[in-house]
Amino acid sequence: MIHQPIATFYEAQIEEFVIEVEELLKLHEIFTRVYANRTGKPLYVVSNDMEIDVFMLAAEAQVHRIVDLETFA
């Protein structure tokens, strides 16, 4: 599954909350760029896939170029 990073929302000062949100946005951008670079897909496609939580089988992930090799135990 490809999905976006989540936060642990807690009762905190507004400044701390804003800092956490900014960090999450940076992580989202980093993950999106890594997936886009790895898969060769445009940023908007990867970002869309992350927003809607795309579920896929191992073989589909390999075709999507998220994993290199699928193995069976």
Side-chain angles (χ1 to χ4, degrees), residues 33-52:
R33 289 190 180 281
V34 167
Y35 278 132
N37 188 1
R38 179 72 179 103
T39 63
K41 298 193 181 310
L43 282 172
Y44 73 90
V45 170
V46 174
S47 183
N48 247 4
D49 288 349
M50 289 173 64
E51 289 296 323
I52 59 173

Side-chain angles (χ1 to χ4, degrees), residues 23-39:
E23 289 175 3
L24 282 170
L25 290 172
K26 288 178 190 175
L27 278 175
H28 186 274
E29 178 70 21
I30 290 168
F31 288 143
T32 304
R33 289 190 180 281
V34 167
Y35 278 132
N37 188 1
R38 179 72 179 103
T39 63

Side-chain angles (χ1 to χ4, degrees), residues 8-25:
T8 54
F9 294 108
Y10 53 90
E11 294 182 24
Q13 298 293 326
I14 295 295
E15 295 84 18
E16 293 175 9
F17 182 75
V18 169
I19 290 170
E20 186 167 339
V21 168
E22 288 173 348
E23 289 175 3
L24 282 170
L25 290 172

